[in-house]
Amino acid sequence: MTTIYNLSIAAKATLNMHSLNNEGGEGNQIQTRIVTVVDENGRLHSVNAISGDMLKHIQAEHLYYLAKDDDALPLCKACAIFDANRMSADPDFQQFLKGKPTPVQVVDRLLTCTLDDIEGNLVTQGNQSVPRKSVIEFGWAIGIPEKVSTEQYFHVKYDPDRREIPTEKGERSGNLGQAIFHRPASSGQYAIIASVEAARVGFNDISQKYAEGVDRTARLKALLESLLYTFVQPAGAMRNTQNPHITDVQGVITFSTGPAPAPLISPLNGNFQQETAQVADALNALHQGRIVVKPFGSLAEFASIMQTIIADAEPYAFVR
């Protein structure tokens, strides 16, 4: 088995003709999400991006389906129907809070659910303010400056009557008639980063103890599998007609086998793979062999490396 304390992924992914994350709409035009970033030379660039919230939702959904099919990955009543509020919407948990439990007891209760443990939660009911920090973290998927483009495309919903704007109020509110609208589509290379704190799976950060009866290894394997699926099938907006063309994914996976951060340098840095290896060498000079670096040059190679890691992975356990 391979003990994992922390695992990081830095990937440069090429996505074509996608519209996974948008700001909203104005009139009949959908507006894509644009952010401003600074390049290596200090110049500002406005680029298309996919929020970390969207990426985490994609990963959480994959984890949900894995948990639904595995008795070793229990879910609370709310997470069993993929409620965004997680255990906070569970009637049994709401009744539990009426007994005025301590923060330690609240977190222990959250740890009984796979999604609340892995994805995190913030309990504010019953005069509580108890956080469960997520085990997995995502950055924004940011278009690499000068390597990403967004364009608007004209679409129309055909209606034989060809009335662009229905005259009847009921038809207008019912989305009837011929509708004209503009949709964005983005193509380019995107910098994606993610980090997994494997040692914290099933760990109560307040009591500094692991919850009893939790299959930590099963949860870590499912988490890493859901992370793999996030790259293989990125869900999001408008996939019914604008399913992204994934043509390339390359980058580096790093993980530590003991207390040390797995190096993570953004692909916004053109030399991120080389610098990641150099940082790993420096950390291994302090703790020989604690940092493992796995570069990959394609989605197939990424999947193969992740499969090997998942097969042998077990989470690091703090000993007191």
Side-chain angles (χ1 to χ4, degrees), residues 263 274-289 291 293:
Q274 299 89 329
E275 291 193 20
T276 297
Q278 292 172 357
V279 173
D281 289 341
L283 296 181
N284 278 330
L286 299 175
H287 301 282
Q288 185 59 43
I291 307 298
V293 179

Side-chain angles (χ1 to χ4, degrees), residues 27-291:
N28 63 350
Q29 183 163 326
I30 297 173
Q31 298 173 323
T32 193
R33 192 174 295 274
I34 300 294
V35 299
T36 301
V37 296
V38 181
D39 68 13
E40 299 163 325
N41 299 313
R43 293 177 298 184
L44 296 174
H45 298 268
S46 294
V47 294
N48 169 249
I50 304 168
S51 72
D53 300 89
M54 177 62 76
L55 294 175
K56 190 174 181 186
H57 176 78
I58 296 169
Q59 175 271 320
E61 187 173 14
H62 285 303
L63 179 60
Y64 162 71
Y65 285 115
L66 289 170
K68 287 278 285 185
D69 196 41
D70 193 336
D71 292 337
L73 303 170
L75 298 172
C76 66
K77 289 182 179 179
C79 288
I81 58 174
F82 204 45
D83 191 313
N85 297 297
R86 302 198 180 103
M87 195 178 290
S88 296
D90 185 336
D92 293 341
F93 182 67
Q94 294 171 354
Q95 186 64 34
F96 165 76
L97 292 177
K98 292 180 180 179
K100 298 183 179 179
T102 65
V104 169
Q105 292 171 325
V106 171
V107 174
D108 278 340
R109 183 66 175 258
L110 292 175
L111 295 178
T112 63
C113 173
T114 300
L115 281 179
D116 283 278
D117 178 15
I118 300 299
E119 308 298 339
N121 201 341
L122 175 61
V123 178
T124 58
Q125 295 170 283
N127 295 320
Q128 297 272 1
S129 181
V130 182
R132 165 59 183 171
K133 183 179 177 293
S134 176
V135 170
I136 184 168
E137 301 173 339
F138 285 97
W140 286 64
I142 301 173
I144 297 175
E146 300 180 1
K147 293 185 178 181
V148 67
S149 176
T150 299
E151 296 179 329
Q152 292 283 340
Y153 295 91
F154 174 86
H155 296 265
V156 62
K157 184 181 75 175
Y158 177 73
D159 187 296
D161 194 23
R162 298 195 178 184
R163 286 180 297 161
E164 181 178 339
I165 302 176
T167 56
E168 297 294 331
K169 181 179 180 181
E171 292 182 353
R172 291 198 302 271
S173 62
N175 191 28
L176 302 177
Q178 183 165 291
I180 295 174
F181 51 97
H182 300 267
R183 282 180 178 172
S186 300
S187 299
Q189 294 182 331
Y190 292 81
I192 303 174
I193 58 172
S195 180
V196 174
E197 296 181 278
R200 290 186 54 252
V201 174
F203 187 69
N204 189 321
D205 297 300
I206 301 176
S207 66
Q208 294 289 292
K209 295 179 181 179
Y210 288 101
E212 296 181 2
V214 173
D215 191 336
R216 299 181 62 239
T217 298
R219 287 190 183 181
L220 176 60
K221 288 178 180 290
L223 167 56
L224 296 178
E225 190 174 345
S226 68
L227 184 54
L228 167 60
Y229 293 169
T230 301
F231 284 87
V232 174
Q233 187 186 58
M238 298 189 184
R239 289 183 68 248
N240 59 333
T241 56
Q242 291 185 193
N243 197 355
H245 292 254
I246 305 172
T247 59
D248 187 42
V249 180
Q250 55 183 279
V252 60
I253 302 170
T254 63
F255 64 86
S256 55
T257 58
L264 180 60
I265 298 176
S266 171
L268 289 174
N269 181 335
N271 297 316
F272 75 102
Q273 289 175 296
Q274 299 89 329
E275 291 193 20
T276 297
Q278 292 172 357
V279 173
D281 289 341
L283 296 181
N284 278 330
L286 299 175
H287 301 282
Q288 185 59 43
R290 184 167 290 187
I291 307 298

